[in-house]
Amino acid sequence: MSELSLLDKWRKKSIHNFTPLQASLELTNRCNERCGHCYIDSFKDDPQRTLTLEQWYHILQQLRQAGTLYLILMGGEAMLNPYFWQITKKSKSLGFHTSMISNGLKIQSEEMAEKLLESGIQQVTISLYSLNPNIHETMTSVRGSFAKTMNAILFCQKVGLKVSVNSLLTSLNISSIFDLEDWCVQNQLEIKVDPTVTSKLSGDMTPTRLRASRSQLEWYFSERKKRWVNGQVKASPESSGDFVCNAAKGKCAVTAYGELLPCIEVREPMGSLIDESFETLWNNPSVQPWRDMRLSDLSRKSETGFCEHCPGMAKNEVGDLHQELDFSVMLSEVKSKVSQDLGE
Amino acid sequence: MDLAKIFKRKEGLPWQEMEELALVLVPHSQEAHELNETATFLWKHFDGENTVADILNKLSVEYDIDDKTAFTDLAESIDLFHQINLIDEVL
Ligand SMILES: C[S@@+](CC[C@H](N)C(=O)[O-])C[C@H]1O[C@@H](n2cnc3c(N)ncnc32)[C@H](O)[C@@H]1O
Ligand code: SF4
């Protein structure tokens, strides 16, 4: 069986078993960029609540016992956690597959990339918004960040780390997105372009003002279809058992203060992993609404086969996890329309 | 096979067990292996401390099999683990 189909089989198994095969850790809220689109409310950590190294170790051990294989380190900027290197080493010794989502600003030499590899990081996903430095830096609000992020990609690739690119698709970078996609393909970099800009975690809608418009998204998906053999918009797999998503089933997340979340998007903590065991929190009845959510519970407005609903995002924005957001409905309509267009 | 030999899981191979099967990842070649129930049992015992004799004992108790069957199963599994490069012998 190929690696992908085996992983897919295990992913489905984890959803079915409620085993958190994937866990995202927000190692810190601190960051060295100031992206206008960022969902993080404050780039400061509350010193009263930050975790000690022993507490991070305790969390790693609990996740391992609970069945986590894939650990995703993020933040803020994960490398700004003072215990970053100890945490990666521990994750290696515990047998996790560890990856990191990063802006790359702290990876400014081959030695640093090598250190990441040796400490147990197996994959790095770098956030890059455009090949045009002005556009990238307009989004990150840090002058010089484009060159640093590009350097990070090159250093990581050079030492043999698996590197991929994340690009949030906004009205600011959509005009140059295909240059970036082409460059990634030429450089053997997987790229994920995500058009869904969420609100801040507090519900502040400022980042959503950067969302691409309906006509921009139609243009993007139509162009994609023309450019790439596999660029056709695909129906979202209306997941097994009619579940809306994987939150609190095959995945979970942990905040910088050790709170367990059903998913990085769902900001209702199940409790503190410092005060209670993973098992107690994971089996807490308060998680059930997230775990049980099925497509049939939604008063569906989105196009069949193109559900873009994220319960966490809906809860943050409108306070109701069942309500499909206008943006999600619009995105589903655009995808459905483009998938049906026969083209010129 | 020398009963005093000791094997250990190769370093840097992430793995996880679910429903008594293990998934072992080989990051540098981007391969993944799913181990069957017996192989998973053995994999967990290749910890760099158990000797072949220790593992044989545990295998025959766990699966209620005679020593000869346990020996054959273990020898075949060790060959396979070597072929796919998942274990090292501790020298
Ligand atoms: C919060 S960042 C943390 C890791 C790191 N600082 C980085 O930017 O890569 C993780 C990912 O979320 C994306 N992101 C940030 N704000 C977002 C938002 N409002 N909606 C969707 N994605 C967002 C970023 O582009 C990045 O790829
Ligand atoms: S680099 Fe990441 S965490 Fe920092 S502001 Fe940008 S998106 Fe947010």
Side-chain angles (χ1 to χ4, degrees), chain A residues 53-111:
Chain A
L53 181 57
E54 282 63 38
Q55 288 172 325
W56 279 115
Y57 283 173
H58 176 65
I59 289 173
L60 292 177
Q61 267 146 356
Q62 293 202 69
L63 288 171
R64 194 75 184 106
Q65 273 165 15
T68 300
L69 176 59
Y70 295 97
L71 205 60
I72 304 172
L73 306 182
M74 54 191 295
E77 189 52 37
M79 292 178 79
L80 295 178
N81 180 307
Y83 307 121
F84 175 78
W85 297 107
Q86 288 100 317
I87 291 171
T88 53
K89 280 194 191 117
K90 186 71 172 179
S91 70
K92 182 180 182 181
S93 70
L94 287 173
F96 288 108
H97 177 283
T98 311
S99 58
M100 171 170 78
I101 307 180
S102 166
N103 59 30
L105 262 55
K106 295 282 282 179
I107 314 171
Q108 291 307 305
S109 65
E110 210 173 306
E111 290 71 40

Side-chain angles (χ1 to χ4, degrees), chain A residues 288-301:
Chain A
Q288 222 49 40
W290 300 101
R291 193 168 278 157
D292 285 348
M293 240 189 110
R294 288 167 191 273
L295 288 166
S296 47
D297 298 332
L298 305 176
S299 50
R300 288 286 293 277
K301 286 186 262 167

Side-chain angles (χ1 to χ4, degrees), chain B residues 64-87:
Chain B
D64 195 19
I65 49 177
D66 59 65
D67 290 354
K68 194 164 163 252
T69 314
F71 187 85
T72 314
D73 280 2
L74 180 59
E76 281 175 8
S77 297
I78 288 177
D79 271 354
L80 187 68
F81 277 123
H82 271 312
Q83 267 172 38
I84 54 179
N85 210 13
L86 297 188
I87 55 171

Side-chain angles (χ1 to χ4, degrees), chain B residues 42-71:
Chain B
L42 298 175
W43 173 253
K44 289 193 289 182
H45 287 87
F46 292 144
D47 58 0
E49 287 177 13
N50 283 304
T51 63
V52 167
D54 295 335
I55 298 179
L56 270 177
N57 268 333
K58 290 177 182 169
L59 190 63
S60 45
V61 171
E62 176 78 14
Y63 292 101
D64 195 19
I65 49 177
D66 59 65
D67 290 354
K68 194 164 163 252
T69 314
F71 187 85

Side-chain angles (χ1 to χ4, degrees), chain A residues 150-162:
Chain A
M150 293 296 276
N151 282 340
I153 292 175
L154 297 179
F155 289 134
C156 289
Q157 278 196 312
K158 204 159 174 202
V159 302
L161 270 164
K162 187 170 180 230

Side-chain angles (χ1 to χ4, degrees), chain A residues 31 33-35 37-38 40 43 76 103 129:
Chain A
C31 193
E33 287 188 347
R34 288 291 178 270
C35 303
H37 55 260
C38 189
I40 292 175
F43 299 111
N103 59 30
Y129 302 107

